[in-house]
């Protein structure tokens, strides 16, 4: 039997299998920063339980593959129902969910009430056994109003302590428009987490292609840098389109006996698969942008910075004049914000190694906070171009962070974290997802990494209406999160104020004013008279319940993450926040 054409090139390129299949194979999942963030949102929603989680993205951005990856990462105590055909009426949807969860019902004649009663009985039984149930609905933008309303009513299945069903809606961008309708506001208000997947950036497209080749056994760089640029331009960074172009390009290279795909082969592959109109629109948009930019912009377009050009042989990590020293990756599980007990903070659900000593802290150039007009003007310059500046040092970012706490930076060379300790503050170095960092709600110094490995440091100053406010070179600029995540690998340092001189995580048997501080914020954790500052087993249980509510590891210990979340239960006008604390 003849080998199908799309498999003929695999032995030629020494591949074990075709690497660019459009089937949603989790083994080939490329977790870009935003894909990691989306997966974290889904896992967080499952962990919190109850209500809805919504994930949207353009066609081909990897939503279905992420759903399958979620299934593989679910804890053992979670039952899941996957609905891939949303064009159902309410009764058919309920029957489909019951089939997935193996809930018995009286066949095709079952009424809505019989299906709901059977599902409710099943959920109560699984809840009593300590299990959770999740329903994932793909292509949710095709759900009718009646079905969405029925789904909302399913979240009313509950006990006095918990919701019995978690529902994850996955769909195209139109899903957000549907959920924003006034007649669906009851459902929209129950959404506990939202995330939108954007297309890949140029650097992510290059990493994506190399990742899939590596998974399929490829050891050589089969695509030149110019070919990857062409594929990115033609596909717009949509993973599915990247797959089909790469697959056709490999076939084309095999046909003419080439061992690598160059720009010409990639262009021809794209022309065979995609209409020419998108490329023409891209060229017109580029020309218009260049015209607006003027002579300086034209020079930049003709000769962009080297780090914006994908290379066949990426340059090694390098240092530039004025750039911060390269440091080793911080080890997860350590947290020197509470000196002496790094392992304790890991049990608190997160942590990171202490930040390394830095150069002397120097204040930002601007002595007063920038105006909104200044921030708007600064945001017009693309973030990659701003990050090319070697002035974005760790010390400058810390100086801005200190100013948000209304503190003057030290006048002598001193490590910022040592400088703030006598003032009652501590550094917390973390390696987390953006969602977790946002939940801490504290300004932070972000470590951003350019494609060639050079590091830049900026201050995360605020998050408003889905926009991220950064402080760069003394100016504030507002960017979309999607513009930042390609450069952020999860490393940040924030300042926080531990209560009562707390120096280590608290556990059963400890006596401290910080324990009394905890009880004041957990009023349903009373203590015997005179024992308010004693950490007993009852307080441990209450803290564990609070940690579960906040998506932290429910170990019952009070470490930095738990204390920060507890601190947000009371408004402290002296502490800066990324966003106002909800009452």
């Amino acid at each position: 039997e003849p080998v199908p054409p799309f498999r003929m090139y695999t032995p030629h390129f020494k591949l074990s299998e075709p690497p660019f299949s459009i089937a949603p194979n989790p083994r080939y999942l490329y977790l870009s920063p935003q894909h990691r963030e989306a997966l974290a949102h889904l896992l967080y929603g499952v962990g919190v339980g109850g209500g809805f989680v919504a994930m949207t993205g353009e066609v081909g951005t990897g939503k279905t593959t992420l759903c399958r990856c979620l299934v593989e990462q679910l804890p053992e105590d979670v039952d899941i129902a996957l609905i891939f055909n949303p064009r159902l009426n309410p009764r058919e949807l309920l029957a489909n969910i019951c089939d997935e969860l193996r809930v018995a019902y009286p066949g095709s004649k079952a009424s809505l009430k019989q299906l709901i009663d059977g599902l409710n009985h099943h959920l109560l039984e699984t809840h009593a056994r300590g299990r959770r149930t999740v329903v994932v609905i793909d292509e949710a933008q095709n759900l009718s109003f009646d079905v969405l309303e029925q789904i909302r009513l399913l979240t009313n299945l509950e006990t006095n302590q918990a919701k019995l069903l978690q529902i994850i809606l996955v769909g195209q961008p139109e899903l957000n428009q549907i959920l924003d309708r006034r007649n669906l506001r009851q459902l929209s208000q129950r959404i506990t987490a939202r995330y939108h997947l954007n297309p890949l950036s140029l650097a992510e497209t290059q990493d994506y292609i190399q990742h899939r080749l590596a998974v399929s056994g490829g050891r050589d760089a089969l695509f030149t840098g110019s070919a990857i640029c062409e594929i990115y331009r033609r596909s717009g960074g949509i993973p599915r389109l990247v797959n089909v172009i790469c697959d056709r390009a490999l076939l084309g290279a095999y046909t003419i006996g080439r061992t690598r795909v160059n720009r010409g082969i990639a262009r021809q592959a794209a022309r065979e698969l995609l209409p020419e109109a998108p490329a023409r629109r891209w060229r017109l948009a580029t020309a218009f942008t260049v015209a607006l930019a003027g002579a300086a912009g034209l020079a930049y377009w003709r000769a962009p910075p080297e780090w914006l050009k994908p290379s066949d042989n990426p340059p090694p990590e390098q240092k530039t004049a004025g750039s911060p020293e390269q440091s080793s990756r911080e080890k997860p599980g350590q947290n020197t914000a509470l000196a002496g007990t790094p392992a304790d903070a890991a049990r608190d659900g997160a942590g990171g190694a202490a930040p390394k000593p830095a150069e002397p802290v120097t204040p930002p150039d601007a002595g007063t906070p920038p105006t909104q007009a200044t921030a708007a003007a600064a945001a017009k310059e693309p973030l990659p171009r701003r990050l090319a500046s070697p002035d974005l040092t760790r010390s400058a970012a810390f100086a801005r962070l200190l100013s948000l706490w209304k503190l003057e930076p030290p006048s002598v060379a001193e490590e910022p974290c040592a400088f703030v300790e006598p003032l009652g503050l501590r550094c917390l170095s973390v390696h987390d997802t953006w969602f977790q960092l946002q939940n801490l709600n504290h300004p932070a110094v972000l470590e951003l990494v350019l494609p060639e490995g050079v590091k830049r440091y900026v201050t995360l100053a605020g998050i408003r209406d889905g926009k991220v406010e950064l402080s760069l070179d003394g100016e504030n600029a507002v960017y979309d999160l999607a513009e930042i995540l390609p450069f952020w690998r999860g490393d940040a340092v924030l300042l926080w104020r531990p209560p009562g001189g707390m120096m280590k995580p608290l556990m059963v048997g400890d006596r401290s004013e910080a324990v009394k501080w905890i009880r004041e914020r957990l009023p349903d954790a009373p203590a015997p008279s005179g024992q308010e500052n004693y950490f007993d087993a009852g307080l441990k249980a209450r803290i564990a319940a609070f940690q579960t509510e906040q998506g932290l590891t429910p170990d019952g210990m009070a470490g930095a993450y738990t204390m920060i979340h507890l601190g947000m239960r009371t408004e402290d006008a002296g502490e800066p926040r990324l966003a106002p604390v909800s009452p």
Side-chain angles (χ1 to χ4, degrees):
E1 183 178 352
V3 178
F6 68 88
R7 294 185 182 274
M8 292 172 62
Y9 63 72
T10 53
H12 176 73
F13 294 110
K14 300 178 181 178
L15 302 173
S16 60
E17 59 184 338
F20 296 105
S21 169
I22 60 174
N25 187 345
R27 192 163 65 90
Y28 280 89
L29 177 63
Y30 165 70
L31 285 178
S32 70
Q34 62 167 333
H35 282 81
R36 288 198 301 268
E37 188 69 21
L39 186 58
H41 273 68
L42 297 178
L43 290 171
Y44 172 79
V46 172
V48 172
F52 293 86
V53 175
M55 182 179 70
T56 56
E58 285 292 347
V59 176
T61 50
K63 303 183 297 296
T64 302
T65 305
L66 266 180
C67 288
R68 296 184 185 277
C69 184
L70 170 70
V71 172
E72 292 188 352
Q73 296 195 24
L74 285 176
E76 292 293 331
D77 63 345
V78 175
D79 297 326
I80 189 165
L82 296 173
I83 310 298
F84 291 108
N85 176 22
R87 294 188 178 276
L88 306 169
N89 61 38
R91 199 204 71 82
E92 291 170 335
L93 176 73
L94 283 172
N96 201 341
I97 293 174
C98 289
D99 289 341
E100 286 284 312
L101 298 175
R102 299 183 180 181
V103 177
Y105 59 91
S108 59
K109 296 182 180 180
S111 66
L112 273 175
K113 182 179 185 305
Q114 288 174 316
L115 290 168
I116 292 175
D117 288 346
L119 181 59
N120 187 40
H121 179 72
H122 171 81
L123 294 175
L124 287 171
E125 283 188 342
T126 55
H127 177 73
R129 299 198 306 268
R131 301 188 64 80
R132 293 170 288 165
T133 304
V134 177
V135 174
V136 178
I137 304 178
D138 200 6
E139 301 296 341
Q141 77 279 354
N142 293 320
L143 295 172
S144 67
F145 170 78
D146 290 341
V147 173
L148 285 169
E149 183 62 15
Q150 182 61 63
I151 292 172
R152 179 186 70 83
L153 294 175
L154 288 180
T155 61
N156 289 334
L157 302 178
E158 59 189 0
T159 68
N160 291 333
Q161 292 81 27
K163 296 282 187 181
L164 298 177
L165 196 61
Q166 171 77 65
I167 297 175
I168 298 175
L169 301 176
V170 180
Q172 296 171 21
E174 300 87 83
L175 176 61
N176 283 328
Q177 301 172 11
I178 294 171
L179 295 177
D180 288 339
R181 293 176 183 171
R182 180 170 177 78
N183 59 352
L184 287 174
R185 62 188 182 279
Q186 286 182 297
L187 187 154
S188 184
Q189 290 172 1
R190 300 188 184 193
I191 295 177
T192 57
R194 294 187 188 226
Y195 196 83
H196 181 75
L197 274 176
N198 289 297
L200 301 175
S201 67
L202 173 57
E204 289 171 339
T205 301
Q206 183 175 17
D207 289 344
Y208 174 81
I209 292 172
Q210 298 300 336
H211 168 76
R212 294 189 75 101
L213 288 171
V215 172
S216 65
R219 297 182 180 180
D220 301 322
L222 300 185
F223 292 80
T224 67
S226 59
I228 291 175
C229 280
E230 185 69 15
I231 293 168
Y232 171 72
R233 182 171 76 88
R234 298 281 180 160
S235 67
I238 301 293
R240 185 178 297 163
L241 295 182
V242 172
N243 282 358
V244 296
I245 295 173
C246 287
D247 183 75
R248 182 62 63 89
L250 287 174
L251 178 60
Y254 161 75
T255 302
I256 61 177
R258 297 288 182 88
T259 58
R260 300 183 76 196
V261 174
N262 59 26
R263 183 178 181 179
I265 297 173
R267 183 191 300 116
Q268 182 61 30
R271 284 175 175 173
E272 293 175 2
L273 294 166
L274 306 176
E276 193 68 17
R280 288 199 296 270
R281 286 197 297 269
W282 185 89
R283 287 196 293 270
L284 288 173
T286 299
F288 181 67
T289 302
V290 170
L292 288 179
L298 184 59
Y300 179 83
W301 175 251
R302 287 175 176 166
E306 287 300 318
W307 64 268
L308 285 178
K309 302 178 183 176
S311 169
D312 297 347
N313 297 299
E317 185 173 8
Q318 57 183 321
K319 301 173 185 177
T320 60
S323 67
E325 294 293 325
Q326 305 300 321
S327 61
S328 60
R329 172 67 58 183
E330 294 166 349
K331 297 179 181 178
Q334 294 183 341
N335 178 357
T336 55
L338 303 175
T341 54
D344 293 335
R347 290 192 295 269
D348 191 40
K356 68 180 185 63
E359 59 269 34
V361 177
T362 55
D365 295 336
T368 58
T371 63
Q372 291 182 353
T374 303
K380 293 179 181 178
E381 187 173 14
L383 182 61
R385 193 179 300 181
R386 297 295 299 273
L387 294 180
S389 170
D391 296 330
L392 298 178
T393 62
R394 183 173 177 270
S395 61
F398 261 105
R400 177 56 180 160
L401 180 62
L402 290 173
S403 71
L404 294 176
W405 283 83
K406 297 181 171 52
L407 296 174
E408 292 291 331
S411 57
V412 296
E414 185 175 358
E415 162 61 30
C417 294
F419 169 74
V420 299
E421 283 194 15
L423 305 176
L425 298 176
R426 296 289 185 274
C427 283
L428 177 62
S429 182
V430 299
H431 182 77
D432 274 329
T433 66
W434 183 268
F435 190 61
Q436 291 167 324
L437 181 64
Q438 179 178 330
N439 277 349
L440 291 174
N441 204 17
H442 278 53
V445 171
L446 303 182
E447 179 185 278
L448 304 182
V449 183
L450 305 187
E452 70 272 24
V454 174
K455 297 180 181 179
R456 297 288 187 255
Y457 296 84
V458 301
T459 307
L460 173 62
I463 300 176
R464 300 288 189 280
D465 300 324
K467 301 290 185 179
V468 180
E469 182 180 353
L470 299 180
S471 178
L472 310 97
D473 286 337
E475 292 182 335
N476 278 24
V478 177
Y479 294 98
D480 290 328
L481 178 58
E483 298 177 80
I484 299 169
L485 288 180
F487 302 98
W488 189 62
R489 298 181 178 177
D491 293 307
V493 179
L494 59 85
L495 297 180
W496 71 294
R497 192 186 304 278
M502 173 183 169
M503 294 298 295
K504 65 179 184 66
L506 300 173
M507 60 188 73
V508 173
D510 286 340
R511 290 185 182 273
S512 168
E513 285 300 307
V515 175
K516 184 177 179 181
W517 180 90
I518 294 173
R519 292 189 185 278
E520 292 172 352
R521 283 149 186 81
L522 296 175
D524 52 346
S529 178
Q531 297 295 316
E532 292 83 1
N533 66 346
Y534 179 69
F535 197 125
D536 56 17
L539 182 59
K540 177 181 178 179
R542 181 62 188 91
I543 289 176
F546 174 78
Q547 290 168 330
T548 299
E549 295 169 7
Q550 302 300 316
L552 303 174
T553 301
D555 56 14
M557 297 172 57
Y561 274 60
T562 299
M563 300 301 274
I564 289 174
H565 280 273
L566 282 169
M568 285 185 281
R569 290 202 153 192
T570 56
E571 183 61 37
D572 188 339
E575 293 195 6
R577 304 290 191 193
L578 295 176
V581 179
S582 302

